[in-house]
């Protein structure tokens, strides 16, 4: 039976961070209606697809799922357990923001069935946190990690962002040093991305903020890879590092182009070769679920074989590598290019896979473009 994952989008946030383009709102008057509607959506899809796949993961993203009541997430987990073929050892992740949970609340989330927390720290530098308009400070971030350990979480990830305006290698290095002292087994470290429509993007366009150039960014990326490798972390994706055995199974489903169902406003699904996405507005989502008996789809597309192959190359190369059998024709067509990248040390063969090397990770996007052009 094929494997699949489940994503649940909880759209509520304490405030809107300047760099964020995820769908989220800062009004809480519809929380009750949201949880009731998402249950309806889950039930609708369970009748169609609940037993057709082996569901390996649940991922609560957002938004800020850790603002929720643990009992609300427990209800959703139990509903999924009762109505989907969820494996007994499913990875159940909750994105968690420091400043939204204390020890007691983390214990309650653990009790609710969450077994992995992904903590959105972003930086340990007070000025950076202020710039990013995060609600926590350095100590709050560190305490959240230790509270998660005390609550019994064994699978803990943290998120960091580098190449913030004015950040020097020394300043970023201090962030890495602190991260390296924490009892976490997974780290996502992303370069600051300017997304259209965000407050940060406007600030850059207005000249209020200057983003450092690509070469500087590449230097910080090299520093990051080097640091985590020296600390025993495995780089298993362009921006993700883990201790052996602690890869994020849910993200691996995306990167392997496997199937997933997404519930909640703006959530995306990919199933039976079709991709669809939900309405990106809570009020619109609530109305649609009511009107259409658990469906709130805003759009859909069926991927052609060509599109699927391109997506596969783009996603698989970032992580596990490309499985030769999945792109046979293309391998023949691009053999000269692939040989050149083997010889230059950017790609390496590993069994049935073609993988990026340490030298290849920083130029992943360029390699993908060459492979699919
Ligand atoms: S807390 Fe997370 S989801 Fe919410 S606005 Fe900030 S970055 Fe976006």
């Amino acid at each position: 039976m094929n494997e699949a994952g489940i994503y649940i989008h909880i759209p509520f946030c304490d405030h809107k961070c300047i760099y964020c383009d995820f769908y989220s709102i800062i009004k809480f008057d519809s929380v009750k209606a949201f949880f009731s509607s998402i249950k309806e959506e889950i039930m609708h899809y369970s009748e169609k697809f609940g037993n057709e796949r082996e569901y390996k993961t649940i991922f609560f993203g957002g938004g800020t799922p850790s603002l929720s009541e643990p009992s609300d997430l427990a209800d959703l987990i139990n509903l999924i357990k009762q109505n989907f073929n969820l494996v007994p050892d499913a990875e159940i992740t909750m994105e968690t923001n420091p400043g939204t949970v204390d020890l007691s609340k983390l214990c309650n989330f653990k009790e609710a069935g969450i077994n992995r927390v992904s903590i959105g720290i972003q930086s340990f530098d007070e000025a950076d946190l202020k710039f990013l308009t995060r609600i926590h400070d350095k100590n709050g971030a560190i305490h959240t990690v230790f509270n998660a350990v005390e609550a019994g979480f064994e699978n803990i990830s943290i998120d960091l962002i580098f190449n913030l305006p004015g950040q020097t290698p020394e300043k970023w290095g201090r962030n890495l040093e602190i991260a390296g002292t924490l009892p976490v087994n997974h780290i996502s470290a992303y370069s600051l991305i300017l997304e259209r429509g965000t407050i940060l993007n406007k600030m850059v366009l207005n000249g209020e903020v200057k983003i450092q150039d690509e070469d500087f960014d590449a230097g910080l990326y090299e520093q990051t890879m080097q640091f985590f490798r020296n600390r025993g972390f495995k780089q298993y994706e362009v921006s993700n590092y883990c201790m052996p055995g602690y890869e994020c199974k849910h993200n691996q489903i995306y990167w392997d182009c496997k199937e997933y169902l997404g519930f909640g406003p703006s959530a995306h699904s990919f199933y039976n070769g079709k991709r669809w996405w939900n309405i990106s507005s809570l009020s619109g989502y609530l109305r649609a679920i009511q009107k259409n008996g658990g469906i709130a789809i805003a759009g859909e597309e069926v991927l052609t074989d060509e599109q699927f192959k391109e997506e596969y190359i783009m996603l698989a190369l970032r992580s596990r590598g490309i499985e030769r059998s999945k792109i046979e024709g293309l391998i023949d067509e691009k053999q000269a290019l692939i040989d050149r990248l083997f010889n230059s040390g950017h790609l390496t063969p590993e069994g049935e896979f073609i993988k990026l090397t340490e030298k290849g990770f920083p130029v992943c996007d360029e390699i993908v473009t060459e492979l699919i052009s």
Side-chain angles (χ1 to χ4, degrees), residues 45-81:
Y45 286 96
S46 77
E47 280 158 27
K48 292 175 82 172
F49 307 133
N51 291 312
E52 286 184 359
R53 300 286 184 271
E54 193 172 47
Y55 292 89
K56 301 281 241 191
T57 63
I58 303 175
F59 192 101
F60 289 96
T64 309
S66 55
L67 279 172
S68 309
E69 287 302 322
S71 58
D72 283 332
L73 299 199
D75 284 352
L76 299 188
I77 293 170
N78 290 332
L79 196 67
I80 291 169
K81 281 185 178 165

mmCIF file of all heavy atoms in Angstrom, residues 45-81:
data_model
loop_
_atom_site.group_PDB
_atom_site.id
_atom_site.type_symbol
_atom_site.label_atom_id
_atom_site.label_comp_id
_atom_site.label_asym_id
_atom_site.label_seq_id
_atom_site.Cartn_x
_atom_site.Cartn_y
_atom_site.Cartn_z
ATOM 1 N N TYR A 45 -12.943 13.587 3.523
ATOM 2 C CA TYR A 45 -11.856 12.908 2.801
ATOM 3 C C TYR A 45 -11.598 11.507 3.346
ATOM 4 O O TYR A 45 -11.105 10.644 2.615
ATOM 5 C CB TYR A 45 -10.589 13.772 2.807
ATOM 6 C CG TYR A 45 -10.733 14.935 1.851
ATOM 7 C CD1 TYR A 45 -11.149 16.189 2.297
ATOM 8 C CD2 TYR A 45 -10.516 14.768 0.491
ATOM 9 C CE1 TYR A 45 -11.319 17.245 1.417
ATOM 10 C CE2 TYR A 45 -10.682 15.818 -0.403
ATOM 11 C CZ TYR A 45 -11.092 17.059 0.064
ATOM 12 O OH TYR A 45 -11.271 18.089 -0.821
ATOM 13 N N SER A 46 -11.905 11.303 4.620
ATOM 14 C CA SER A 46 -11.685 9.946 5.167
ATOM 15 C C SER A 46 -12.582 8.944 4.456
ATOM 16 O O SER A 46 -12.180 7.819 4.178
ATOM 17 C CB SER A 46 -11.932 9.928 6.674
ATOM 18 O OG SER A 46 -13.314 9.926 6.938
ATOM 19 N N GLU A 47 -13.817 9.380 4.138
ATOM 20 C CA GLU A 47 -14.723 8.451 3.449
ATOM 21 C C GLU A 47 -14.187 8.092 2.067
ATOM 22 O O GLU A 47 -14.320 6.976 1.600
ATOM 23 C CB GLU A 47 -16.117 9.079 3.318
ATOM 24 C CG GLU A 47 -16.906 8.966 4.609
ATOM 25 C CD GLU A 47 -18.015 9.995 4.715
ATOM 26 O OE1 GLU A 47 -18.509 10.446 3.672
ATOM 27 O OE2 GLU A 47 -18.356 10.360 5.865
ATOM 28 N N LYS A 48 -13.529 9.074 1.422
ATOM 29 C CA LYS A 48 -12.997 8.817 0.072
ATOM 30 C C LYS A 48 -11.654 8.082 0.111
ATOM 31 O O LYS A 48 -11.431 7.146 -0.638
ATOM 32 C CB LYS A 48 -12.791 10.156 -0.671
ATOM 33 C CG LYS A 48 -14.080 10.867 -1.013
ATOM 34 C CD LYS A 48 -13.788 12.212 -1.622
ATOM 35 C CE LYS A 48 -13.479 12.067 -3.108
ATOM 36 N NZ LYS A 48 -13.373 13.396 -3.754
ATOM 37 N N PHE A 49 -10.766 8.534 0.978
ATOM 38 C CA PHE A 49 -9.375 8.067 0.874
ATOM 39 C C PHE A 49 -8.798 7.446 2.153
ATOM 40 O O PHE A 49 -7.625 7.074 2.165
ATOM 41 C CB PHE A 49 -8.460 9.245 0.500
ATOM 42 C CG PHE A 49 -8.883 10.022 -0.716
ATOM 43 C CD1 PHE A 49 -8.913 11.410 -0.705
ATOM 44 C CD2 PHE A 49 -9.223 9.366 -1.884
ATOM 45 C CE1 PHE A 49 -9.271 12.131 -1.837
ATOM 46 C CE2 PHE A 49 -9.601 10.079 -3.021
ATOM 47 C CZ PHE A 49 -9.627 11.465 -2.991
ATOM 48 N N GLY A 50 -9.594 7.387 3.207
ATOM 49 C CA GLY A 50 -9.060 7.001 4.521
ATOM 50 C C GLY A 50 -8.322 5.679 4.541
ATOM 51 O O GLY A 50 -7.336 5.524 5.271
ATOM 52 N N ASN A 51 -8.803 4.709 3.760
ATOM 53 C CA ASN A 51 -8.181 3.377 3.833
ATOM 54 C C ASN A 51 -7.372 3.006 2.610
ATOM 55 O O ASN A 51 -6.891 1.896 2.504
ATOM 56 C CB ASN A 51 -9.272 2.315 4.068
ATOM 57 C CG ASN A 51 -9.848 2.463 5.453
ATOM 58 O OD1 ASN A 51 -9.099 2.572 6.425
ATOM 59 N ND2 ASN A 51 -11.165 2.520 5.552
ATOM 60 N N GLU A 52 -7.219 3.958 1.692
ATOM 61 C CA GLU A 52 -6.507 3.626 0.447
ATOM 62 C C GLU A 52 -4.987 3.725 0.571
ATOM 63 O O GLU A 52 -4.272 3.299 -0.318
ATOM 64 C CB GLU A 52 -6.924 4.605 -0.666
ATOM 65 C CG GLU A 52 -8.305 4.346 -1.206
ATOM 66 C CD GLU A 52 -8.621 5.292 -2.362
ATOM 67 O OE1 GLU A 52 -7.779 6.151 -2.723
ATOM 68 O OE2 GLU A 52 -9.719 5.169 -2.894
ATOM 69 N N ARG A 53 -4.515 4.378 1.619
ATOM 70 C CA ARG A 53 -3.073 4.588 1.774
ATOM 71 C C ARG A 53 -2.664 4.258 3.203
ATOM 72 O O ARG A 53 -3.493 4.186 4.111
ATOM 73 C CB ARG A 53 -2.710 6.071 1.519
ATOM 74 C CG ARG A 53 -3.067 6.584 0.145
ATOM 75 C CD ARG A 53 -2.150 6.059 -0.924
ATOM 76 N NE ARG A 53 -2.442 6.614 -2.223
ATOM 77 C CZ ARG A 53 -3.302 6.109 -3.121
ATOM 78 N NH1 ARG A 53 -3.996 5.018 -2.830
ATOM 79 N NH2 ARG A 53 -3.472 6.682 -4.298
ATOM 80 N N GLU A 54 -1.350 4.131 3.371
ATOM 81 C CA GLU A 54 -0.816 3.970 4.722
ATOM 82 C C GLU A 54 -0.321 5.354 5.139
ATOM 83 O O GLU A 54 0.681 5.855 4.603
ATOM 84 C CB GLU A 54 0.348 2.980 4.665
ATOM 85 C CG GLU A 54 0.775 2.489 5.990
ATOM 86 C CD GLU A 54 1.803 1.374 5.855
ATOM 87 O OE1 GLU A 54 2.757 1.528 5.064
ATOM 88 O OE2 GLU A 54 1.641 0.364 6.552
ATOM 89 N N TYR A 55 -1.045 5.996 6.023
ATOM 90 C CA TYR A 55 -0.691 7.370 6.410
ATOM 91 C C TYR A 55 0.402 7.320 7.487
ATOM 92 O O TYR A 55 0.209 6.729 8.546
ATOM 93 C CB TYR A 55 -1.940 8.127 6.890
ATOM 94 C CG TYR A 55 -2.889 8.369 5.731
ATOM 95 C CD1 TYR A 55 -3.868 7.429 5.407
ATOM 96 C CD2 TYR A 55 -2.756 9.493 4.927
ATOM 97 C CE1 TYR A 55 -4.717 7.613 4.315
ATOM 98 C CE2 TYR A 55 -3.588 9.686 3.839
ATOM 99 C CZ TYR A 55 -4.560 8.747 3.535
ATOM 100 O OH TYR A 55 -5.376 8.935 2.450
ATOM 101 N N LYS A 56 1.534 7.965 7.154
ATOM 102 C CA LYS A 56 2.722 7.852 8.022
ATOM 103 C C LYS A 56 2.930 9.061 8.918
ATOM 104 O O LYS A 56 3.687 8.979 9.883
ATOM 105 C CB LYS A 56 3.994 7.733 7.156
ATOM 106 C CG LYS A 56 4.010 6.560 6.206
ATOM 107 C CD LYS A 56 4.362 5.331 6.948
ATOM 108 C CE LYS A 56 5.612 4.694 6.454
ATOM 109 N NZ LYS A 56 5.811 3.371 7.011
ATOM 110 N N THR A 57 2.332 10.185 8.534
ATOM 111 C CA THR A 57 2.630 11.421 9.275
ATOM 112 C C THR A 57 1.396 12.326 9.383
ATOM 113 O O THR A 57 0.513 12.300 8.523
ATOM 114 C CB THR A 57 3.716 12.258 8.547
ATOM 115 O OG1 THR A 57 3.204 12.662 7.275
ATOM 116 C CG2 THR A 57 4.999 11.490 8.340
ATOM 117 N N ILE A 58 1.399 13.114 10.452
ATOM 118 C CA ILE A 58 0.476 14.253 10.549
ATOM 119 C C ILE A 58 1.357 15.454 10.877
ATOM 120 O O ILE A 58 2.252 15.357 11.727
ATOM 121 C CB ILE A 58 -0.567 14.076 11.672
ATOM 122 C CG1 ILE A 58 -1.381 12.793 11.493
ATOM 123 C CG2 ILE A 58 -1.496 15.289 11.746
ATOM 124 C CD1 ILE A 58 -2.348 12.513 12.650
ATOM 125 N N PHE A 59 1.122 16.564 10.183
ATOM 126 C CA PHE A 59 1.932 17.757 10.441
ATOM 127 C C PHE A 59 0.992 18.929 10.694
ATOM 128 O O PHE A 59 0.217 19.309 9.821
ATOM 129 C CB PHE A 59 2.835 18.038 9.237
ATOM 130 C CG PHE A 59 3.910 19.059 9.513
ATOM 131 C CD1 PHE A 59 5.220 18.663 9.766
ATOM 132 C CD2 PHE A 59 3.622 20.416 9.509
ATOM 133 C CE1 PHE A 59 6.219 19.607 10.017
ATOM 134 C CE2 PHE A 59 4.607 21.360 9.767
ATOM 135 C CZ PHE A 59 5.906 20.956 10.015
ATOM 136 N N PHE A 60 1.041 19.487 11.897
ATOM 137 C CA PHE A 60 0.255 20.685 12.204
ATOM 138 C C PHE A 60 1.129 21.909 11.901
ATOM 139 O O PHE A 60 2.123 22.161 12.598
ATOM 140 C CB PHE A 60 -0.151 20.720 13.672
ATOM 141 C CG PHE A 60 -1.195 19.700 14.042
ATOM 142 C CD1 PHE A 60 -0.832 18.468 14.593
ATOM 143 C CD2 PHE A 60 -2.539 19.963 13.824
ATOM 144 C CE1 PHE A 60 -1.798 17.528 14.923
ATOM 145 C CE2 PHE A 60 -3.514 19.027 14.153
ATOM 146 C CZ PHE A 60 -3.141 17.802 14.702
ATOM 147 N N GLY A 61 0.776 22.631 10.827
ATOM 148 C CA GLY A 61 1.539 23.820 10.466
ATOM 149 C C GLY A 61 0.633 25.036 10.483
ATOM 150 O O GLY A 61 -0.555 24.957 10.787
ATOM 151 N N GLY A 62 1.198 26.174 10.104
ATOM 152 C CA GLY A 62 0.322 27.336 10.135
ATOM 153 C C GLY A 62 0.972 28.558 9.546
ATOM 154 O O GLY A 62 1.842 28.456 8.689
ATOM 155 N N GLY A 63 0.570 29.708 10.147
ATOM 156 C CA GLY A 63 -0.090 29.849 11.434
ATOM 157 C C GLY A 63 0.776 29.385 12.601
ATOM 158 O O GLY A 63 1.934 29.037 12.464
ATOM 159 N N THR A 64 0.153 29.398 13.724
ATOM 160 C CA THR A 64 0.826 28.987 14.962
ATOM 161 C C THR A 64 -0.018 27.938 15.666
ATOM 162 O O THR A 64 -0.824 28.258 16.546
ATOM 163 C CB THR A 64 1.055 30.208 15.885
ATOM 164 O OG1 THR A 64 1.689 31.250 15.155
ATOM 165 C CG2 THR A 64 1.934 29.846 17.075
ATOM 166 N N PRO A 65 0.165 26.663 15.311
ATOM 167 C CA PRO A 65 -0.663 25.618 15.928
ATOM 168 C C PRO A 65 -0.500 25.561 17.445
ATOM 169 O O PRO A 65 -1.435 25.164 18.157
ATOM 170 C CB PRO A 65 -0.155 24.322 15.289
ATOM 171 C CG PRO A 65 0.734 24.699 14.186
ATOM 172 C CD PRO A 65 1.068 26.149 14.279
ATOM 173 N N SER A 66 0.681 25.982 17.950
ATOM 174 C CA SER A 66 0.890 25.877 19.402
ATOM 175 C C SER A 66 0.071 26.904 20.181
ATOM 176 O O SER A 66 0.037 26.869 21.413
ATOM 177 C CB SER A 66 2.380 26.017 19.741
ATOM 178 O OG SER A 66 2.905 27.213 19.209
ATOM 179 N N LEU A 67 -0.635 27.819 19.472
ATOM 180 C CA LEU A 67 -1.583 28.700 20.174
ATOM 181 C C LEU A 67 -2.880 27.959 20.475
ATOM 182 O O LEU A 67 -3.704 28.409 21.265
ATOM 183 C CB LEU A 67 -1.930 29.904 19.286
ATOM 184 C CG LEU A 67 -0.960 31.081 19.244
ATOM 185 C CD1 LEU A 67 -1.396 32.066 18.166
ATOM 186 C CD2 LEU A 67 -0.876 31.791 20.591
ATOM 187 N N SER A 68 -3.080 26.805 19.834
ATOM 188 C CA SER A 68 -4.344 26.061 20.000
ATOM 189 C C SER A 68 -4.438 25.439 21.379
ATOM 190 O O SER A 68 -3.430 25.247 22.066
ATOM 191 C CB SER A 68 -4.422 24.912 18.980
ATOM 192 O OG SER A 68 -4.166 25.355 17.693
ATOM 193 N N GLU A 69 -5.654 25.077 21.743
ATOM 194 C CA GLU A 69 -5.838 24.280 22.955
ATOM 195 C C GLU A 69 -5.389 22.854 22.651
ATOM 196 O O GLU A 69 -5.800 22.290 21.619
ATOM 197 C CB GLU A 69 -7.318 24.245 23.347
ATOM 198 C CG GLU A 69 -7.850 25.539 23.916
ATOM 199 C CD GLU A 69 -7.067 25.972 25.146
ATOM 200 O OE1 GLU A 69 -6.685 25.100 25.946
ATOM 201 O OE2 GLU A 69 -6.831 27.186 25.288
ATOM 202 N N PRO A 70 -4.577 22.243 23.494
ATOM 203 C CA PRO A 70 -4.154 20.859 23.237
ATOM 204 C C PRO A 70 -5.343 19.927 23.000
ATOM 205 O O PRO A 70 -5.265 19.016 22.167
ATOM 206 C CB PRO A 70 -3.389 20.487 24.517
ATOM 207 C CG PRO A 70 -2.834 21.800 24.989
ATOM 208 C CD PRO A 70 -3.886 22.821 24.662
ATOM 209 N N SER A 71 -6.467 20.178 23.676
ATOM 210 C CA SER A 71 -7.625 19.281 23.501
ATOM 211 C C SER A 71 -8.177 19.368 22.073
ATOM 212 O O SER A 71 -8.673 18.373 21.527
ATOM 213 C CB SER A 71 -8.720 19.609 24.514
ATOM 214 O OG SER A 71 -9.101 20.954 24.346
ATOM 215 N N ASP A 72 -8.062 20.557 21.437
ATOM 216 C CA ASP A 72 -8.537 20.682 20.052
ATOM 217 C C ASP A 72 -7.664 19.851 19.104
ATOM 218 O O ASP A 72 -8.176 19.207 18.184
ATOM 219 C CB ASP A 72 -8.519 22.158 19.608
ATOM 220 C CG ASP A 72 -9.701 22.930 20.187
ATOM 221 O OD1 ASP A 72 -10.750 22.303 20.439
ATOM 222 O OD2 ASP A 72 -9.571 24.144 20.395
ATOM 223 N N LEU A 73 -6.338 19.877 19.329
ATOM 224 C CA LEU A 73 -5.469 19.064 18.465
ATOM 225 C C LEU A 73 -5.672 17.575 18.772
ATOM 226 O O LEU A 73 -5.653 16.733 17.868
ATOM 227 C CB LEU A 73 -3.996 19.451 18.630
ATOM 228 C CG LEU A 73 -3.615 20.893 18.276
ATOM 229 C CD1 LEU A 73 -2.110 21.005 18.036
ATOM 230 C CD2 LEU A 73 -4.355 21.425 17.061
ATOM 231 N N ALA A 74 -5.891 17.262 20.047
ATOM 232 C CA ALA A 74 -6.146 15.851 20.418
ATOM 233 C C ALA A 74 -7.380 15.333 19.688
ATOM 234 O O ALA A 74 -7.391 14.203 19.173
ATOM 235 C CB ALA A 74 -6.335 15.731 21.931
ATOM 236 N N ASP A 75 -8.417 16.169 19.604
ATOM 237 C CA ASP A 75 -9.650 15.755 18.903
ATOM 238 C C ASP A 75 -9.346 15.424 17.441
ATOM 239 O O ASP A 75 -9.847 14.445 16.897
ATOM 240 C CB ASP A 75 -10.695 16.880 18.925
ATOM 241 C CG ASP A 75 -11.352 16.995 20.280
ATOM 242 O OD1 ASP A 75 -11.108 16.122 21.137
ATOM 243 O OD2 ASP A 75 -12.094 17.987 20.484
ATOM 244 N N LEU A 76 -8.532 16.285 16.796
ATOM 245 C CA LEU A 76 -8.223 16.048 15.377
ATOM 246 C C LEU A 76 -7.384 14.783 15.212
ATOM 247 O O LEU A 76 -7.617 13.977 14.301
ATOM 248 C CB LEU A 76 -7.487 17.255 14.767
ATOM 249 C CG LEU A 76 -8.225 18.593 14.761
ATOM 250 C CD1 LEU A 76 -7.450 19.630 13.956
ATOM 251 C CD2 LEU A 76 -9.629 18.465 14.179
ATOM 252 N N ILE A 77 -6.409 14.608 16.099
ATOM 253 C CA ILE A 77 -5.555 13.401 16.004
ATOM 254 C C ILE A 77 -6.422 12.150 16.174
ATOM 255 O O ILE A 77 -6.314 11.177 15.418
ATOM 256 C CB ILE A 77 -4.422 13.450 17.064
ATOM 257 C CG1 ILE A 77 -3.446 14.594 16.735
ATOM 258 C CG2 ILE A 77 -3.680 12.114 17.133
ATOM 259 C CD1 ILE A 77 -2.430 14.902 17.817
ATOM 260 N N ASN A 78 -7.311 12.195 17.147
ATOM 261 C CA ASN A 78 -8.159 11.007 17.393
ATOM 262 C C ASN A 78 -9.094 10.742 16.222
ATOM 263 O O ASN A 78 -9.317 9.587 15.836
ATOM 264 C CB ASN A 78 -8.947 11.169 18.698
ATOM 265 C CG ASN A 78 -8.002 11.088 19.888
ATOM 266 O OD1 ASN A 78 -6.959 10.439 19.801
ATOM 267 N ND2 ASN A 78 -8.335 11.767 20.977
ATOM 268 N N LEU A 79 -9.617 11.821 15.653
ATOM 269 C CA LEU A 79 -10.507 11.665 14.494
ATOM 270 C C LEU A 79 -9.764 10.995 13.340
ATOM 271 O O LEU A 79 -10.296 10.105 12.657
ATOM 272 C CB LEU A 79 -11.010 13.050 14.069
ATOM 273 C CG LEU A 79 -12.208 13.085 13.145
ATOM 274 C CD1 LEU A 79 -13.447 12.579 13.860
ATOM 275 C CD2 LEU A 79 -12.454 14.514 12.645
ATOM 276 N N ILE A 80 -8.523 11.431 13.134
ATOM 277 C CA ILE A 80 -7.714 10.837 12.052
ATOM 278 C C ILE A 80 -7.399 9.381 12.383
ATOM 279 O O ILE A 80 -7.513 8.496 11.528
ATOM 280 C CB ILE A 80 -6.427 11.668 11.829
ATOM 281 C CG1 ILE A 80 -6.800 13.029 11.222
ATOM 282 C CG2 ILE A 80 -5.444 10.937 10.924
ATOM 283 C CD1 ILE A 80 -5.700 14.043 11.196
ATOM 284 N N LYS A 81 -7.049 9.119 13.643
ATOM 285 C CA LYS A 81 -6.742 7.733 14.031
ATOM 286 C C LYS A 81 -7.932 6.816 13.775
ATOM 287 O O LYS A 81 -7.795 5.681 13.355
ATOM 288 C CB LYS A 81 -6.351 7.666 15.513
ATOM 289 C CG LYS A 81 -4.913 8.095 15.758
ATOM 290 C CD LYS A 81 -4.551 7.901 17.217
ATOM 291 C CE LYS A 81 -3.089 8.287 17.430
ATOM 292 N NZ LYS A 81 -2.757 8.453 18.843
#
